Amino acid sequence: GDIIHRWIPPSRRATAAIFHSLASLTAAGKAELHEGFEQLTEYLAKPSLIVAVSDWMEDPARWGKSLESLATYRHDIRALHLYSAKEWAFDLPENIRLFAKEGQEDIPLEPSSIRDDFLLEVRRYKNEVSEWAARSKAIWSYAALEDSLLLPLLRLIQGER
């Protein structure tokens, strides 16, 4: 995936520059977070503020070690975890039909029959993410895509969860 690094020199206007930089980005494909964090480890010589905004939907075991490695160099890591509140709540109609590949039958599905299993997986995933965040000493915050990202980003830049 495309990994974007922007160097913003320390200043009183750094917050505005961070917001401007984030506003100019567009999402595209898989992030390959572990590669991006490994590149930052090589690129950043001095302790820096690192702001990572992602849906983090890659195996935490892959990116977690790279993020933890950044923390060993005393970088200040801030992570905004984007998610869909509707998706994580498994907010689906009572009956849906999944469309299979050509030549296969459609698959009827009752969300209520798998809702509990799905929500358990979401909790496990969030716990694993929380463990890596703690190990990397990151300030970690969640932001629902259905809501404005301005306030969560501002809090994150200011060091609040």
Side-chain angles (χ1 to χ4, degrees), residues 20-32:
H20 179 73
S21 180
L22 290 170
S24 68
L25 300 175
T26 55
K30 193 172 181 180
E32 300 293 349

Side-chain angles (χ1 to χ4, degrees), residues 8-19 154 157-158:
I8 299 171
S11 76
R12 291 184 180 157
R13 289 181 265 170
T15 301
I18 291 169
F19 275 98
L154 185 58
I157 299 300
Q158 293 174 340

Side-chain angles (χ1 to χ4, degrees), residues 75-86:
H75 295 298
D76 183 356
I77 302 167
R78 315 278 174 97
L80 188 62
H81 190 141
L82 305 175
Y83 71 98
S84 167
K86 187 173 183 172

Side-chain angles (χ1 to χ4, degrees), residues 100-106:
K101 294 180 183 179
E102 289 182 29
Q104 296 178 348
E105 292 184 32
D106 295 346

Side-chain angles (χ1 to χ4, degrees), residues 6-134:
R6 300 243 167 91
W7 168 251
I8 299 171
S11 76
R12 291 184 180 157
R13 289 181 265 170
T15 301
I18 291 169
F19 275 98
H20 179 73
S21 180
L22 290 170
S24 68
L25 300 175
T26 55
K30 193 172 181 180
E32 300 293 349
L33 294 166
H34 68 284
E35 289 178 15
F37 295 142
E38 287 170 6
Q39 287 180 13
L40 283 175
T41 301
E42 297 169 12
Y43 180 76
L44 297 173
K46 293 190 256 182
S48 301
L49 171 64
I50 297 170
V51 178
V53 179
S54 175
D55 64 5
W56 302 88
M57 291 305 290
E58 297 175 27
D59 182 4
R62 287 192 73 196
W63 56 256
K65 291 177 183 169
S66 301
L67 192 66
E68 187 177 28
S69 177
L70 281 169
T72 63
Y73 293 97
R74 298 185 356 247
H75 295 298
D76 183 356
I77 302 167
R78 315 278 174 97
L80 188 62
H81 190 141
L82 305 175
Y83 71 98
S84 167
K86 187 173 183 172
E87 179 183 330
W88 279 14
F90 205 71
D91 186 15
L92 296 174
E94 199 52 41
N95 291 305
I96 61 174
R97 194 173 270 299
L98 300 179
F99 297 97
K101 294 180 183 179
E102 289 182 29
Q104 296 178 348
E105 292 184 32
D106 295 346
I107 305 165
L109 177 67
E110 292 180 33
S112 61
S113 66
I114 60 171
R115 180 173 280 119
D116 290 343
D117 291 339
F118 177 81
L119 294 175
L120 177 62
E121 283 304 310
V122 169
R123 279 193 302 277
R124 285 181 181 155
Y125 165 74
K126 288 175 72 176
N127 286 340
E128 187 175 359
V129 167
S130 293
E131 288 172 17
W132 283 112

